[in-house]
């Protein structure tokens, strides 16, 4: 069987999957998944954020954002401060949500340090890529 050429894309996806598993394990007892953690962090960073903005930032559908936020509300981590039905949502992190998010951020910081120690060149190469990921055609993601 011929040897396949190295694929940086497959390598990145593999590494991402491994570290996503590590993060998921760290968040599990807090009642969070990686996606819920990200949504909670976005809501805390932008109190009053709308579902459409939350879905855009999270790169998920509005329907998926609604479903995930409903779970965060049921868990007492987020509240929708909307005064009446039909109004735009006004999402905010609760005190409990803020405590859970702080614990999650501490665990993430420990994982970040572990990755930086294990693969410093990779950690440096990844810095800033989430803000403007490269496009497949080599152009800038932001026009």
């Amino acid at each position: 069987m011929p040897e396949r050429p190295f694929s940086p894309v497959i390598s990145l996806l593999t590494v991402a999957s491994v570290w996503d598993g590590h993060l998921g394990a760290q968040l599990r007892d807090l009642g969070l998944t990686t996606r819920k953690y990200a949504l909670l962090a976005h809501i805390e960073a932008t109190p009053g954020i709308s579902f459409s903005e939350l879905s855009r930032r999270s790169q998920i559908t509005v329907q998926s954002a609604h479903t995930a936020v409903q779970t965060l509300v049921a868990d007492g981590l987020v509240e929708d401060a909307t005064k009446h039905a039909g109004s735009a949502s006004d999402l905010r992190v609760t005190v409990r949500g803020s405590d859970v998010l702080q614990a999650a951020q501490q665990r993430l910081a420990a994982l970040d340090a572990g990755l930086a120690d294990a693969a410093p060149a990779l950690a440096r190469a990844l810095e800033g890529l989430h803000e403007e990921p490269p496009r497949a055609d080599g152009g800038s993601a932001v026009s």
Side-chain angles (χ1 to χ4, degrees):
M1 177 183 265
E3 193 172 312
R4 293 181 192 211
F6 170 73
S7 169
V9 170
I10 296 299
S11 293
L12 182 60
L13 291 172
T14 301
V15 170
S17 178
V18 168
W19 284 94
D20 183 52
H22 291 311
L23 180 57
Q26 289 294 312
L27 299 176
R28 191 169 295 121
D29 71 306
L30 296 174
L32 296 176
T33 61
T34 303
R35 176 177 283 179
K36 286 180 185 178
Y37 166 75
L39 291 169
L40 193 60
H42 284 307
I43 294 167
E44 184 176 67
T46 311
I49 192 169
S50 68
F51 278 100
S52 58
E53 179 63 15
L54 186 59
S55 65
R56 186 189 66 75
R57 289 185 189 182
S58 302
Q59 298 182 8
I60 61 174
T61 66
V62 173
Q63 182 179 2
S64 293
H66 273 279
T67 301
V69 169
Q70 285 174 350
T71 303
L72 293 172
V73 169
D75 292 343
L77 305 176
V78 169
E79 64 184 4
D80 186 350
T82 303
K83 300 299 182 213
H84 52 80
S87 296
S89 292
D90 184 11
L91 302 174
R92 298 183 184 279
V93 172
T94 64
V95 171
R96 180 172 183 269
S98 185
D99 291 344
V100 167
L101 187 57
Q102 184 177 10
Q105 289 168 334
Q106 290 171 349
R107 294 174 186 192
L108 176 59
L111 286 175
D112 286 340
L115 175 62
D117 287 345
L122 176 60
R124 281 190 307 275
L126 293 172
E127 197 169 323
L129 283 183
H130 72 284
E131 294 169 9
E132 188 174 339
R135 293 189 332 209
D137 64 6
S140 173
V142 177
S143 321

